[in-house]
Structures are given as structure tokens and as C-alpha cells.
Amino acid sequence: MIRKERKKGPVWEHFNSGNKNDDSHPHVQCKYCSKAFQRAVPERMQTHLDKKCPKAPINSKSQSVQKNATSIYIIDHIGHTNEEMLRKKKPVWENFNVIGKYDDSHPHVQCKYCYKEFKRAVPQRMQVHIENCLEASNNAKLQSKIQNTTSTIDNINDHMSEDEQKFLESLLAKALSSAEIPSSFVDNPLVIQFFKRLQPSFKLPNGEQIKMQMNDNSDQLRSLNNNNNTCNDENCYQLWIRDEKNANKGDNISINDFGNFYQNEIETENNETKAFELYKEAAEKGHINSISQLGYCYDYGIGTEKNETKAFEFYKMAAQKGHIKSIFNLGIYYQHGIGTERNEIKAFELYKEAAKRGHLDSIHNLGYCYQHGIGTEKDEIKALELYREAASKGHVNSIFNLGSCYENGIGTEKDIINAFELYKAAAEKEHIASMFNLGYCYQHGIGTEKNEIKAFELYKEAAEKGDPSSSHNLGCCYYYGIGIEKNVIKAFEFYNEAAKKGHIDSIYNIGTEKNEIKAFELYKVVAERGHINSIFKLGYCYDHGIGTEKNKTKAFEFYKMAANKGHVSSIFNLGIFYQQGIGTEKNEIKAFELYKEAAKKGTKKNEIKAFELYKEAANKGHINSIFCLGNCYGKGIGTEKNDTKAFEFYKMAAQKGHIKSIFNLGIYYQHGIGTEKNEIKAFELYKEAAEKGDPRSGRKRSS
């Protein structure tokens, strides 16, 4: 019988054979180090190449050793890259002299401008120092601010959101579970380095966290649902089969999962009542997520009637067991007094507790509490720091609020360029309020070049997402032709859309349509919500009988209401009503004070109106109005400047004993304004005013 020749494996390619080819165990010699083997055994030959041959190339080694070598190369390469990155200093370093070793990542440094020393260099602290250094040049301060802005935006863009992080964690847990790989896999140093190399902003969870993910598919399902993703049909089916089996055995996690299946319509029809019952079953057995989910069901009326008191109780129960989202939700309930008495201090403490554990919504809300002094002392700098912390991790509301802080100088100096960039970053994440603010920035050239077309597009995008303020501004764009051709019909369509959602300015704008009864009713609705222009318009409607019967008493009341809120036209009209005794008793002194107040607040139109009213009252012998006419002519308020006429009116009022007019007449005589210079007359007038109690007459005054 002839023995069939054995097929030789890849290891033979790395050895020279000295015997006949048909010998199954010939004499062989390693091609790289010349090591001889009297009797060839493939396993022993491979061990030689893997462990003993110093010259063997990587392709000669077994697959497991090749993988290990590749991983070691990755680690070495990463280490080398990190060292290079450490040596690559940021621009802020240009403003400091390095006293220690330059290749030290935190050397001893000294400011080039004020010579302040830092034993341990920290770039963030160095940037703050340069921005506040009294000796540093403006260019250095500007560069530092730009660097800080850029790093903030880059940080935001580099970090993934909390939901993205959780979604990837859930996928990793599912992958390990389906492959029957233990959760400790992620604690392997090589795996950690590998993930850092792939995506630094993804934080690889440890084995314990992955184990929790594996045992809690409910979080996975919620994450999939929140991210508008659908799980693979086969995977969902497998989860359904597994959970059905475990749920029948009374496993709380699987019972909770089944609740998620029914709530989110996964592998079954939507049945919120069934979901609620399943959460309740698992909650009664102490399952924390199910307790929290019950609170959520009562909160939003899912599978049961909405009951905020019960929602509060279940959130509190889960929070006491350390459930982080319930701690946050409990904070909201205490802050706004939902299902319990309002307690802002308690809310602040709960946000603080969850924030310490890295919960981004809580970090944001904690910042909001510091900004507005909710449950704690107001601290805008602390608020800014918290917004920045959450924003750097991709929290979109914090990115928006950070932009608002820079725009309005809250906790920092005003920086409209930084504000614009932050609004832009949040708008790219489809944050509606940021789209609106970004549109406003483009419309008015705030932090960027003016671009009305972009403004229109952003308002349109946000309006399509349901934002009433953007619908209103879109109406304004059409009405005034901003970034689009003027179209009054379109304008009122968008005003109407915003008005339906309760937008006050849009309701007011609709009232400008030529339907007086409708306009009156709309002004009335909005006036009840405190809209000043609408309160004035309501007074005007009663004053002139627009959309309603004339009623001077009601007109007076509404003018007075708007005037108390500082509305200039209402102050004027109220002055007229007092002067002429319309809708109230006549009171010329009160009228004079109102005209004076309106003139101070005045636009050119108001000044002209004030001048006319002073003139009317002066013709009736009202002394203060005669004096005010002198002021108007003397300063060119509501009329052309005329020193001669000013002199005449001051003289007229002075003759009636008006102290201020006596004093002003003295100034005109002293300096020859509107009359011939007469210092003796001036002295007599100052003396007369002083005797009547004018405090200014006791000192020399120049014009």
C-alpha cells in the first residue's frame, strides 16, 4: 500500500529541507537563523519561529502572535504619538518663558509681560492669566480669547452626546453578549488602547458597566428608540424570545424589557396599558428601572391616567435607590412644584447630586440654578463653568446657554463672536432656539457679517420645526422684504401661525389687519397678558371708537396702565386727558409732569408733540409750560433753537415768580445769550433766585 503524501503547511516555507521531499519528517534548517532540526515536526518548527528565532519576520509567525505584535505596535505608536502631542504646545505658550525642561508637559513657566511665575504650567490657567494680565498686549489677549473660543467649539464638536455614548455602549454590550464574550473583555489594556485610537471621545465603559448593560436590555431599547433607530429584525426577535423565556421565570429585567417592547412597538403592536402593567409587576419586586418607568408613565399618562403626585412618589422611590434619571426628574418636580410643594433648595441639591455623577442634564440645570439664583445664591461665573463643562461633552442646551452667556456678558465679558459660533454649533445639532438666535445674528450682523438670506432660511427651518418665534420673524421677513421678496399675504399667514401658538407679538400684528372688530378683540386678548403696545392700542380703540363704542373713561384707564409701564405715546395721551379733563378730572400740573416725562424719553416725534403741548398750555398762562417752552427754544427740543425766544419765555415766567426761570434769565444776561450782556442784572437775578431758595444761585455757573 502506497502512503498518500501529506500536504505541508505554511510553516515549511520558512525552512530548508535536506532530505527527499516524500519524507514526512526530514532534516530541516531555519532560513533566518540556520537552526537545524534532525526531524521536522511542524508544531516545534512554528514554536521556534514564534518564540526563539530572533530574525524571523512577522509573516512567519502564527496568527495569534501576529495579532499580539500588531496590538503592541499600536500601543507603541499611540505612546509615541501622545509624546509628540505633549511636545506640541498651544499658542498660549508663546506668552510665557519656560524655566524648566521644555519637553516636560507641565514645566515651570513665567509670564513674559508681568513676570508672574507658575510652578506647574496648565494651559487653561495660563490663558486666564493672559486675558487678565494688566501688562499683556491687546493682541496677546485677543489671540488667547480666540484660542479659548476655538478649543471650546472644537471640544463640543469632538465630543459625542450622552445619547450617542449610551447608544454605542448598548451596541457594544449586545455584540459581546451575542458572541458570548465576557464583559471583562473591555478591561483588557490592549482593547482600551485600541478604542482610544479609534475615537477618543467615546468613553469605553469598564467590565462592570458592560455587565449592567448586558443585564438591562431595557436601557438598550430606550436608547434605540430615542435615537430614531430600529434594532435589526433578527436581533429584536432573539431578544423577544430570550425575554419571553426569562419573564416566564419571573425575571424582573425581562419583565421590564417586555414593557419596553409593548410601549415602543417592538416585535409587537403598541400597547401602553400592557407596558404599564409589566412595569408595575417588576416595580413591585423592587426593579429600579421599572419603578422609574412607572413614574414616567404617571408623568405623561402612558397606559394610565396622568397623575403627577404618583409620578413624584415613584421618582422619589427610584431616586432613593440611586437611579440617576429619577434624581434629575425629582429635581424638576421640586423646582416647579409638580406633584409636591415647590422647594428650590431641594431641587438644587438633587441636581448637584446627579451632576456629581456626570449626568449632563443635571449639570446644565445646576448651571441654570446658579445663573438665576434658584435654591442657591446667584453665581453667574459658576453657571458659566457648568454650561461650559456640559457643552464640551455635547450637551446641546448647554451649548445654547453658553452662547447666551457670551452674547449678554453673563459670568464673562461680552463676546458676540464666541456667542455666534456656539449658536452655530448648537443649530447644527438641530437645536431650535439656537437656529432662531443664529438667524437673528445673521439678520443684524451680530458676531458675523450681515446676511438676511441666511437669516430668512434659518427662521424658515426653525418655523418648520414648530417654533412660534421663528414663524413670527418669518412673517416680519415677508412683511418688510428681509431676505425675501415682500409679500404681505405670506406675512400674515406666518403671523397667524405663530398667533395660534400664543405668540404675543404675532397676535398684536394680526390686529393691524383692516378688520376693526377682530383687531379690537385681539388687542384685548394680548393686553390681558401684559403686552404694552396692545394695552395702548386698546386705549386708542376706546378713545376713537375703533372696533368698539367710544369710552373715554376706559381709554384713560388703558393709557394710564400702559403709561405706568413706560409706554411713551400713552404718557403723552394721558397728559392730554389730564390737561383737558377727558375721562378724568382736569389736572394741569399732572399733565405738565407727563409731557415732561414723555419728552425726556423722546424720539423726535415726541419732542415736537411735547413742544406743541407746552405751547398750548403756555397760551393759557400755565407757568411751568412757559418755562418749558423756554427750554425747548434754548435747547432746540421739538423746534429750531432760538436763544431770543428762549430769553423771552424765561423772562415771562420769571416775572410770574418761577424760580428756575429767574436763575436761567440770570445766565442769559451774564453771557449775553438772546439779549445784550448785563452782569449787574445777572447778579440781581441770581440774588433773587437765592432768596427764593434756589440752591444753584449760591455758586457761579457757566453756560
Side-chain angles (χ1 to χ4, degrees):
M1 177 177 160
I2 300 171
R3 178 183 289 178
K4 188 177 180 180
E5 184 179 352
R6 180 180 292 177
K7 188 177 179 180
K8 292 184 168 56
V11 70
W12 292 85
E13 296 173 8
H14 306 287
F15 290 82
N16 295 317
S17 175
N19 294 348
K20 294 179 181 179
N21 287 337
D22 60 355
D23 187 348
S24 60
H25 296 287
H27 182 114
V28 294
Q29 186 179 48
C30 175
K31 288 182 178 181
Y32 311 108
C33 68
S34 303
K35 166 78 175 173
F37 294 83
Q38 294 296 325
R39 186 172 183 275
V41 178
E43 291 80 5
R44 188 165 56 177
M45 292 156 66
Q46 189 63 63
T47 300
H48 167 74
L49 292 170
D50 287 347
K51 298 182 179 180
K52 297 180 180 180
C53 181
K55 298 179 181 180
I58 188 74
N59 66 348
S60 71
K61 300 181 184 294
S62 61
Q63 274 195 331
S64 62
V65 175
Q66 282 188 39
K67 285 181 180 177
N68 190 42
T70 303
S71 297
I72 290 168
Y73 166 75
I74 290 172
I75 294 169
D76 288 341
H77 179 70
I78 291 170
H80 178 66
T81 303
N82 285 342
E83 287 175 10
E84 287 179 347
M85 287 172 69
L86 279 174
R87 292 192 182 98
K88 187 179 180 182
K89 310 293 186 187
K90 291 182 179 180
V92 71
W93 290 79
E94 295 172 4
N95 303 303
F96 290 82
N97 295 315
V98 178
I99 299 171
K101 294 179 180 179
Y102 196 80
D103 58 358
D104 183 358
S105 60
H106 298 286
H108 185 152
V109 294
Q110 183 183 55
C111 174
K112 288 182 179 179
Y113 308 103
C114 68
Y115 306 111
K116 179 177 174 63
E117 292 187 14
F118 295 86
K119 297 289 185 183
R120 187 173 184 272
V122 179
Q124 292 88 340
R125 189 167 56 180
M126 292 155 69
Q127 277 184 349
V128 171
H129 170 74
I130 290 298
E131 288 176 19
N132 294 288
C133 179
L134 297 175
E135 303 297 326
S137 65
N138 289 332
N139 185 54
K141 291 175 186 285
L142 179 62
Q143 288 300 321
S144 179
K145 188 175 282 288
I146 290 170
Q147 172 62 28
N148 192 33
T149 300
T150 304
S151 63
T152 300
I153 302 301
D154 288 346
N155 230 8
I156 289 166
N157 292 332
D158 179 58
H159 279 81
M160 60 182 63
S161 70
E162 184 179 15
D163 283 341
E164 289 171 323
Q165 170 75 22
K166 287 183 178 178
F167 177 58
L168 289 178
E169 284 181 12
S170 70
L171 288 182
L172 179 59
K174 187 186 290 184
L176 296 180
S177 179
S178 63
E180 297 183 353
I181 297 172
S183 59
S184 59
F185 169 81
V186 295
D187 294 325
N188 186 305
L190 301 181
V191 175
I192 293 170
Q193 290 290 353
F194 177 71
F195 272 93
K196 281 184 179 177
R197 180 68 177 166
L198 280 179
Q199 175 56 287
S201 64
F202 172 64
K203 296 176 183 176
L204 184 69
N206 59 37
E208 187 61 31
Q209 290 169 318
I210 282 291
K211 189 175 180 181
M212 289 174 68
Q213 283 281 358
M214 288 177 169
N215 292 332
D216 195 359
N217 283 318
S218 59
D219 279 350
Q220 297 177 36
L221 293 170
R222 278 195 298 278
S223 181
L224 285 165
N225 185 58
N226 290 339
N227 285 278
N228 295 319
N229 288 296
T230 54
C231 59
N232 177 279
D233 288 342
E234 181 60 30
N235 287 342
C236 284
Y237 178 70
Q238 292 298 328
L239 281 171
W240 173 275
I241 296 298
R242 190 197 71 184
D243 284 336
E244 184 178 38
K245 181 180 176 182
N246 292 336
N248 289 333
K249 294 178 180 178
D251 181 69
N252 290 335
I253 295 169
S254 296
I255 295 169
N256 182 78
D257 288 351
F258 254 72
N260 274 284
F261 281 129
Y262 280 111
Q263 183 184 339
N264 299 310
E265 205 172 343
I266 300 171
E267 287 297 313
T268 185
E269 292 181 0
N270 178 268
N271 190 331
E272 292 183 346
T273 304
K274 182 72 173 175
F276 175 80
E277 292 300 328
L278 287 162
Y279 295 142
K280 190 175 181 182
E281 182 183 345
E284 286 171 354
K285 296 177 181 179
H287 187 252
I288 300 174
N289 279 343
S290 297
I291 296 169
S292 175
Q293 278 296 100
L294 267 188
Y296 187 84
C297 288
Y298 279 118
D299 195 350
Y300 293 95
I302 297 170
T304 187
E305 287 187 9
K306 183 169 177 155
N307 189 324
E308 291 175 344
T309 304
K310 285 193 175 182
F312 170 79
E313 290 169 2
F314 281 105
Y315 284 147
K316 188 175 182 181
M317 201 183 300
Q320 288 169 346
K321 294 176 181 289
H323 192 270
I324 195 164
K325 284 186 179 178
S326 295
I327 294 170
F328 168 74
N329 285 343
L330 199 61
I332 291 174
Y333 268 50
Y334 273 120
Q335 182 184 343
H336 300 285
I338 303 169
T340 187
E341 287 187 8
R342 189 168 180 164
N343 189 329
E344 292 182 345
I345 295 171
K346 187 71 176 171
F348 173 81
E349 292 301 328
L350 287 161
Y351 293 145
K352 193 173 182 181
E353 182 184 345
K356 284 179 182 176
R357 293 167 60 182
H359 190 255
L360 294 182
D361 285 337
S362 296
I363 295 170
H364 167 269
N365 281 24
L366 196 62
Y368 189 86
C369 287
Y370 276 116
Q371 181 184 345
H372 299 281
I374 298 170
T376 186
E377 287 186 8
K378 193 172 181 178
D379 188 338
E380 292 181 344
I381 294 171
K382 186 70 176 173
L384 182 81
E385 290 171 358
L386 287 160
Y387 289 147
R388 186 178 285 151
E389 180 186 346
S392 69
K393 294 173 183 174
H395 190 265
V396 69
N397 283 337
S398 296
I399 298 170
F400 168 75
N401 277 2
L402 192 61
S404 181
C405 286
Y406 278 115
E407 182 183 3
N408 300 296
I410 298 168
T412 183
E413 290 181 5
K414 278 190 178 184
D415 187 341
I416 56 173
I417 295 172
N418 205 351
F420 170 81
E421 292 297 335
L422 286 160
Y423 290 146
K424 191 176 180 183
E428 286 169 357
K429 294 177 181 284
E430 299 192 343
H431 188 263
I432 295 174
S434 295
M435 289 178 188
F436 173 82
N437 280 19
L438 193 64
Y440 192 85
C441 287
Y442 275 120
Q443 183 183 344
H444 299 281
I446 299 169
T448 186
E449 288 185 6
K450 193 171 180 177
N451 189 328
E452 292 182 345
I453 294 171
K454 277 193 177 181
F456 173 83
E457 290 170 354
L458 284 159
Y459 291 145
K460 188 178 180 182
E461 186 179 353
E464 287 170 354
K465 294 180 183 293
D467 181 46
S469 294
S470 296
S471 294
H472 172 264
N473 279 23
L474 205 58
C476 292
C477 287
Y478 276 114
Y479 192 86
Y480 296 104
I482 299 168
I484 191 74
E485 284 186 13
K486 189 171 180 177
N487 187 328
V488 175
I489 295 170
K490 276 271 189 186
F492 278 103
E493 284 177 8
F494 282 105
Y495 287 148
N496 194 47
E497 185 181 318
K500 285 177 182 176
K501 295 175 181 176
H503 192 272
I504 293 176
D505 287 332
S506 292
I507 297 170
Y508 172 78
N509 284 356
I510 289 171
T512 61
E513 288 186 277
K514 291 183 179 179
N515 184 330
E516 292 181 351
I517 295 171
K518 184 180 178 182
F520 174 79
E521 291 301 326
L522 287 168
Y523 292 144
K524 197 172 180 182
V525 169
V526 184
E528 287 171 357
R529 294 166 63 180
H531 190 256
I532 300 174
N533 280 337
S534 295
I535 296 169
F536 163 72
K537 283 283 187 180
L538 207 56
Y540 191 84
C541 287
Y542 280 118
D543 192 357
H544 299 279
I546 298 170
T548 187
E549 290 183 5
K550 277 188 181 183
N551 188 325
K552 297 293 184 179
T553 304
K554 283 193 175 182
F556 171 80
E557 289 170 2
F558 282 106
Y559 285 148
K560 188 176 182 181
M561 198 184 300
N564 289 338
K565 294 177 181 286
H567 191 270
V568 180
S569 294
S570 296
I571 296 169
F572 266 127
N573 288 6
L574 198 62
I576 293 169
F577 273 48
Y578 272 118
Q579 184 185 350
Q580 298 177 10
I582 302 169
T584 187
E585 289 184 5
K586 191 171 182 177
N587 189 331
E588 291 185 347
I589 295 171
K590 187 72 177 174
F592 168 77
E593 293 299 328
L594 287 162
Y595 295 150
K596 190 175 179 182
E597 183 184 346
K600 283 180 181 177
K601 294 178 180 289
T603 61
K604 197 69 179 174
K605 184 179 177 182
N606 292 336
E607 290 177 355
I608 294 168
K609 182 72 173 173
F611 173 78
E612 290 170 356
L613 291 166
Y614 291 145
K615 194 173 181 181
E616 185 181 339
N619 289 336
K620 295 178 180 180
H622 189 260
I623 299 175
N624 276 336
S625 296
I626 297 168
F627 164 73
C628 285
L629 267 185
N631 274 344
C632 287
Y633 280 117
K635 298 175 183 177
I637 299 170
T639 187
E640 288 185 7
K641 184 177 169 71
N642 188 322
D643 289 334
T644 304
K645 284 194 174 183
F647 171 80
E648 289 171 2
F649 281 103
Y650 285 144
K651 187 176 181 181
M652 196 184 303
Q655 287 169 350
K656 292 177 181 289
H658 192 269
I659 299 172
K660 289 182 180 177
S661 296
I662 295 168
F663 177 79
N664 282 11
L665 198 61
I667 293 172
Y668 273 51
Y669 274 118
Q670 182 185 353
H671 299 283
I673 303 169
T675 187
E676 289 185 5
K677 190 171 182 176
N678 189 330
E679 292 183 344
I680 295 171
K681 188 67 175 173
F683 173 79
E684 290 172 355
L685 287 162
Y686 290 147
K687 185 179 179 183
E688 183 183 349
E691 287 171 352
K692 291 179 180 289
D694 187 278
R696 299 170 298 169
S697 301
R699 65 180 186 275
K700 188 177 180 180
R701 171 176 167 163
S702 66
S703 60

